Amino acid sequence: MQWRPFVLLMVGLSIVFLISLISDPPYPQPTRLHVDTIESKPADEIVLTIAHGFVYHTAIWFQVESALLHGVGPLKTGTVGVVRQRRKPLHIFYNNQSAFDDDEWTVMFQHDLQGPVSKISHAPPPQLQFALMYHQLDNEDPQHMIRVYYLSPGAMHYKDLLMPGTTWIDSFTLENNAILYSRDPDWYRFRIAHLPADWTLAPHSTLITPDRLQNGPPIKKYHQPKYTVLHDSMLSRLYSPQDDTYRVFSLDVHKTRLRFYINITIADNHDDQWKTRDGDTFSHRVYTSESLQYMAFVDGTSHLHQDRVETKMPTLTYARSGNGKTLVATYIKHKFLTFDYTDRTDALQQKPDEAKYLYRDQKTVLPEYFFWADDQVDVSSDYEDIMGMALNHAGTLLAIWTDTHQVYIYKRSDPHHKTQLVAWSLQMVIHDLDTSRVGTIVFWEQQDKNYMMIGLKNQEIQSFWIDAAHVLDRPNFWQFLIDRWNMLTAMSMVIAAFVFHESHR
């Protein structure tokens, strides 16, 4: 009958309209205060430092061609790393105006390194700021250098650290008095380069060597699965009230042909002996299958179309509270782990689920412990991956940004010295950064108010007051169509197939 295609079309459009009405309202967004653009040249990494009433903006370019280029890996000749820093008064970023004629960015320095940069590490506050690793060739021997930037009265200075050996360093972390690093390959899971005492004192801009080297736990047969094709690792020091205990968190991800294998370990060093306190291993499939049933209606066949979707190698990143009592780390896709310190082991011994994991020395329970919590970001797509995260000093505010340029802001109460884990609660989402990649995020507190600053890789800075949320209106029907165009395209194809079929019966 002639009216059947028209009825089918109306029913299909009504379903689309109904979906738009029952869609979840958007999360609030923090109040944006100030937007500032430094220059138009995108950087590989951005570092923001808030100190002494100023915002220090550091842009880092990993490989800037300077001579005859040769080499295809991260270690090559003819390229250098460039570090450029500017600063501006902090009070500007409390204001909701977009520009101030009297307050321009002041150039602090530009450093051209002797080779390309491969990676950076943010430091625990307050004095140390960040470190970057660069590489150079001494005749036929590669040299791995770590430049550490630190605050000194009135300015930021640096020292270069010549790392021992020539084997490639695939991961490093800057700590207060040491460098944690791992090599590929190596006989040990990681190593520690202890820095000299008072190494941040003058003279500055000089070359130093490690004061003492220390090996981590040895590599075991089960640490690397068979048929491993890719590997990445992450290291961080964790808090311990015992001054003679050096506690290290390590996370390794091995990718084989079919699965990711994740290995997490918390190990203590006491009297130069390593002891594993906690750990876990789990895996995740490399390929997942998706059924695209609507294809059967479109191409006129009766089979079910299958797609194999490959999960990307995760970008391992972490954030740590100012006192080291909270650590948040990502390990696959949009999933992350939270570790919180507590000294309430007396009460935890009465909980069977936690008592078996408490740290012990010769059956004596230690008065220190880290809770674990596995969580995931409430992303709009299963293919949205975590790219970075930031914590405030107290470990009560968490910002996570993804490869779709979304920033998710979580809050919670004080998590330390508790008898149970304090969970995160998603409070706000920033979704209007367009295609600008997030480089870094920092929190700061002023007069009991919480603020956040985002440094984008296009060298734009945005500041927010996160105590005041801007509630967004539920999107109207046309905005819903624009935001969900990919889903609606597939639905429209199905509706069109039914209408076409009915009109030709």
Side-chain angles (χ1 to χ4, degrees):
M1 299 176 67
Q2 297 297 323
W3 50 267
R4 288 176 62 88
F6 177 76
V7 171
L8 283 174
L9 179 62
M10 291 297 100
V11 170
L13 294 178
S14 299
I15 292 175
V16 173
F17 182 72
L18 179 63
I19 293 175
S20 69
L21 293 179
I22 64 175
S23 61
D24 293 332
Y27 280 96
Q29 181 169 297
T31 301
R32 184 179 278 108
L33 298 178
H34 185 82
V35 178
D36 205 332
T37 301
I38 300 177
E39 60 176 312
S40 59
K41 182 180 179 181
D44 294 308
E45 289 289 348
I46 299 293
V47 179
L48 292 177
T49 302
I50 297 176
H52 311 310
F54 288 93
V55 176
Y56 292 81
H57 177 278
T58 307
I60 304 171
W61 292 268
F62 282 10
Q63 298 182 9
V64 177
E65 191 169 341
S66 61
L68 179 62
L69 177 65
H70 189 261
V72 294
L75 176 61
K76 55 173 64 76
T77 60
T79 63
V80 299
V82 175
V83 184
R84 184 181 301 154
Q85 186 178 95
R86 295 175 170 90
R87 78 175 186 182
K88 203 170 191 178
L90 178 61
H91 69 83
I92 296 173
F93 294 90
Y94 295 113
N95 198 293
N96 58 8
Q97 298 183 19
S98 59
F100 281 81
D101 295 334
D102 297 334
D103 293 295
E104 298 295 332
W105 286 95
T106 302
V107 177
M108 303 303 294
F109 60 76
Q110 175 170 317
H111 295 157
D112 297 336
L113 308 177
Q114 298 301 310
V117 176
S118 63
K119 53 187 72 72
I120 72 168
S121 174
H122 296 267
Q127 185 180 20
L128 304 186
Q129 294 306 308
F130 66 96
L132 53 87
M133 178 175 289
Y134 67 99
H135 314 272
Q136 57 190 27
L137 282 178
D138 180 16
N139 195 7
E140 296 181 352
D141 298 324
Q143 291 183 334
H144 308 300
M145 312 288 295
I146 294 181
R147 175 166 291 190
V148 183
Y149 287 87
Y150 52 90
L151 283 172
S152 187
M156 192 177 293
H157 298 284
Y158 75 87
K159 282 188 173 65
D160 281 328
L161 177 69
L162 175 61
M163 299 299 290
T166 59
T167 307
W168 182 255
I169 298 175
D170 65 346
S171 176
F172 87 100
T173 301
L174 174 62
E175 301 293 343
N176 278 320
N177 295 302
I179 301 287
L180 289 172
Y181 65 100
S182 63
R183 296 187 181 275
D184 184 19
D186 201 357
W187 297 111
Y188 300 93
R189 297 196 66 185
F190 57 84
R191 298 172 185 256
I192 306 175
H194 295 274
L195 301 178
D198 301 327
W199 64 275
T200 57
L201 299 179
H204 306 296
S205 307
T206 59
L207 179 67
I208 62 175
T209 56
D211 183 60
R212 180 171 62 92
L213 299 175
Q214 186 177 9
N215 297 330
I219 291 287
K220 301 295 184 181
K221 182 179 180 180
Y222 54 81
H223 280 147
Q224 179 169 307
K226 288 184 178 181
Y227 313 115
T228 294
V229 295
L230 288 175
H231 168 252
D232 199 4
S233 63
M234 188 193 73
L235 301 166
S236 176
R237 186 176 183 182
L238 288 177
Y239 173 81
S240 174
Q242 307 298 324
D243 294 335
D244 56 352
T245 297
Y246 204 99
R247 179 167 294 148
V248 176
F249 166 85
S250 62
L251 188 153
D252 289 89
V253 177
H254 292 86
K255 180 183 179 182
T256 65
R257 291 174 297 180
L258 297 177
R259 302 196 72 84
F260 291 99
Y261 292 92
I262 297 98
N263 188 343
I264 297 174
T265 303
I266 297 176
D268 284 359
N269 183 275
H270 182 74
D271 294 335
D272 211 23
Q273 297 292 323
W274 287 99
K275 182 173 183 178
T276 300
R277 295 297 185 191
D278 205 349
D280 199 1
T281 58
F282 36 92
S283 64
H284 187 279
R285 289 183 298 175
V286 173
Y287 294 96
T288 56
S289 296
E290 282 201 348
S291 300
L292 302 179
Q293 190 171 3
Y294 70 88
M295 291 293 294
F297 296 101
V298 176
D299 59 19
T301 62
S302 59
H303 67 273
L304 190 66
H305 185 78
Q306 296 281 338
D307 262 1
R308 292 184 75 199
V309 180
E310 182 178 1
T311 301
K312 295 181 293 185
M313 186 72 178
T315 300
L316 297 185
T317 182
Y318 76 95
R320 185 171 44 182
S321 62
N323 51 19
K325 293 183 178 181
T326 292
L327 183 139
V328 182
T330 180
Y331 64 95
I332 195 76
K333 298 181 73 172
H334 46 270
K335 298 181 179 181
F336 63 95
L337 297 166
T338 301
F339 300 83
D340 285 323
Y341 171 82
T342 184
D343 54 7
R344 297 294 308 279
T345 56
D346 53 341
L348 293 178
Q349 293 183 61
Q350 311 304 319
K351 298 182 178 182
D353 292 342
E354 295 288 353
K356 58 184 177 181
Y357 298 114
L358 298 179
Y359 306 160
R360 290 175 170 82
D361 278 341
Q362 297 179 352
K363 298 184 179 181
T364 301
V365 176
L366 301 182
E368 48 184 317
Y369 177 66
F370 273 88
F371 286 113
W372 286 46
D374 193 353
D375 210 337
Q376 64 180 18
V377 181
D378 186 18
V379 295
S380 57
S381 168
D382 191 52
Y383 307 113
E384 195 170 342
D385 292 352
I386 295 175
M387 300 301 293
M389 50 183 57
L391 273 172
N392 69 335
H393 183 82
T396 56
L397 295 172
L398 170 66
I400 296 178
W401 61 95
T402 66
D403 56 358
T404 59
H405 320 296
Q406 311 280 326
V407 178
Y408 300 84
I409 302 170
Y410 294 80
K411 292 184 179 182
R412 64 176 181 175
S413 59
D414 182 14
H416 307 129
H417 313 288
K418 307 293 185 181
T419 58
Q420 62 182 7
L421 191 94
V422 180
W424 292 106
S425 175
L426 180 60
Q427 298 292 315
M428 291 171 280
V429 178
I430 301 174
H431 55 82
D432 59 351
L433 298 177
D434 299 324
T435 59
S436 301
R437 293 184 298 159
V438 177
T440 188
I441 292 179
V442 294
F443 292 99
W444 82 97
E445 186 177 343
Q446 183 75 20
Q447 297 179 349
D448 296 328
K449 295 181 180 180
N450 293 294
Y451 298 90
M452 183 182 74
M453 190 176 297
I454 300 179
L456 301 174
K457 290 189 177 181
N458 64 359
Q459 300 208 56
E460 181 179 283
I461 295 178
Q462 299 186 17
S463 62
F464 298 84
W465 180 24
I466 59 176
D467 294 333
H470 172 59
V471 180
L472 302 178
D473 296 330
R474 185 189 295 269
N476 57 35
F477 179 67
W478 295 112
Q479 186 63 41
F480 176 80
L481 295 179
I482 295 173
D483 294 341
R484 302 297 180 91
W485 66 268
N486 51 354
M487 179 191 73
L488 295 175
T489 300
M491 294 181 63
S492 300
M493 293 173 66
V494 175
I495 296 171
F498 275 113
V499 172
F500 179 81
H501 180 267
E502 287 294 329
S503 63
H504 288 75
R505 288 185 63 178

